Amino acid sequence: MEQTNQVTQQPFFQYKTTIIDAPLPSLGKIYPFGSPLNKKESVSIREMGTKEEDILSTLSLMRGGKAVDMVLKNCILEKEIEPDKLVIGDRNSLVIALVLASYGSSYNADVSCPYCGEINSKYEFSLSRLPIKNLPVEPVKEGENEFKYILPRSAAEITFKLLLSEDDREINEIVEKLKKTTTNYTKEAAIEQNSSFRLKKQILSINGERDRNKITSVIDNNLLPILDSTSLRNYIDEISPKIDTTQEFKCRECSKVNKVNIPISAEFFWR
């Protein structure tokens, strides 16, 4: 991520605001013609200030999942870009760049060891030089978020999209609502329904059929073989553009080494 500085000054105060050119792993290939993101490979973002601190301090915004997008909207220099229209991998790249510009590369987080279960408090990770996984395939049409895949079991031809930030938030809101309104709603049920909701959002057509109700009925009526659904999810994960946040982790208790994903939570924005 390329870093520059922009001088802001008053007669009594001068400061060079840090600006980072955050890469878009999608390379802008999936955004429609006319979109400010079409064929765009990076976005300039500045560090956070006191206005962004106010937003992040508002509990209702944090709980509703809107605070981060509001902060991104404030800090992205190209004001016509809407954060919730970004695919998840591009948005996460901007989030990492925002934190990198605001706090530097060091990030401390609590990590549970997968071997002994010990909580390693304030384990230090580095946000600099995280590998970028660019979009490895071309969409069905230039400027469209649509890709093809042949299911291995049913041999059906599927077209699907990569989820946008707004899709991800909508799915999470539905699952959270079910948790509150459904008696004995288990963690396992939440995971299962989350996966189903994502498939409904991602699948755009089955053998040329694009009717949303018909596509939903295939999933709701358990007509999609598990080999097909698993294979599709794995393929989507394989081609999804993203910043690779896995880093080496050595447990302080048992000294075993493993790779973990850097935890990105609300604490990611605070030091």
Side-chain angles (χ1 to χ4, degrees):
M1 296 187 183
E2 185 178 339
Q3 180 174 315
T4 58
N5 297 97
Q6 184 180 70
V7 177
T8 57
Q9 61 182 17
Q10 294 289 338
F12 59 92
F13 180 77
Q14 291 188 8
Y15 176 69
K16 291 184 179 180
T17 301
T18 299
I19 296 170
I20 286 182
D21 285 334
L24 298 182
S26 73
L27 305 175
K29 291 182 177 181
I30 58 174
Y31 299 111
F33 295 109
S35 164
L37 293 163
N38 179 253
K39 295 185 178 180
K40 196 168 182 64
E41 296 187 6
S42 66
V43 169
S44 297
I45 192 165
R46 65 164 174 84
E47 65 181 290
M48 295 182 285
T50 51
K51 287 185 178 179
E52 289 72 51
E53 183 181 19
D54 289 341
I55 295 170
L56 293 171
S57 300
T58 305
L59 191 58
S60 60
L61 293 176
M62 288 300 289
R63 283 178 176 170
K66 298 177 181 178
V68 175
D69 278 345
M70 290 178 67
V71 168
L72 285 175
K73 180 67 176 173
N74 278 6
C75 295
I76 293 172
L77 298 190
E78 296 97 325
K79 293 304 177 187
E80 66 275 17
I81 293 175
E82 296 293 338
D84 63 352
K85 299 299 182 183
L86 291 160
V87 292
I88 294 170
D90 286 348
R91 179 182 181 273
N92 287 345
S93 177
L94 290 183
V95 167
I96 291 168
L98 177 66
V99 173
L100 191 58
S102 302
Y103 296 113
S105 61
S106 179
Y107 171 53
N108 296 325
D110 294 344
V111 183
S112 175
C113 176
Y115 293 106
C116 69
E118 178 71 14
I119 302 295
N120 290 247
S121 62
K122 298 189 179 299
Y123 193 91
E124 184 174 339
F125 295 97
S126 175
L127 300 180
S128 63
R129 297 185 297 276
L130 293 175
I132 303 169
K133 179 189 171 187
N134 289 329
L135 184 69
V137 298
E138 296 295 321
V140 172
K141 291 182 182 178
E142 188 178 356
E144 290 189 10
N145 183 6
E146 186 168 3
F147 302 86
K148 280 185 182 180
Y149 184 66
I150 304 298
L151 299 178
R153 189 74 168 179
S154 62
E157 182 180 275
I158 295 284
T159 66
F160 64 89
K161 72 172 185 176
L162 303 176
L163 291 180
L164 304 180
S165 176
E166 62 183 358
D167 297 324
D168 191 52
R169 185 172 62 248
E170 181 183 338
I171 291 167
N172 289 334
E173 287 174 353
I174 292 171
V175 172
E176 286 302 314
K177 187 176 181 180
L178 284 172
K179 286 181 182 178
K180 294 176 182 177
T181 58
T182 306
T183 306
N184 298 324
Y185 193 75
T186 63
K187 181 180 180 181
E188 289 73 19
I191 293 172
E192 180 182 339
Q193 291 194 312
N194 188 296
S195 297
S196 296
F197 290 141
R198 287 180 184 277
L199 276 181
K200 292 174 191 176
K201 278 284 186 185
Q202 288 169 318
I203 295 175
L204 299 177
S205 72
I206 302 177
N207 289 330
E209 179 59 68
R210 304 183 76 91
D211 185 282
R212 299 307 310 161
N213 291 329
K214 291 180 180 178
I215 292 171
T216 297
S217 70
V218 170
I219 297 168
D220 286 344
N221 293 324
N222 202 29
L223 301 178
L224 194 64
I226 189 169
L227 178 61
D228 282 352
S229 60
T230 302
S231 178
L232 177 59
R233 287 193 190 95
N234 290 340
Y235 181 70
I236 293 174
D237 183 64
E238 179 186 330
I239 71 162
S240 291
K242 66 185 76 171
I243 299 291
D244 185 359
T245 60
T246 57
Q247 285 198 7
E248 191 173 274
F249 160 76
K250 183 177 181 180
C251 180
R252 298 183 187 125
E253 179 67 22
C254 68
S255 298
K256 288 192 176 180
V257 177
N258 195 13
K259 284 197 171 183
V260 297
N261 283 308
I262 298 175
I264 299 179
S265 60
E267 290 73 23
F268 195 59
F269 295 91
W270 297 102
R271 294 292 186 274

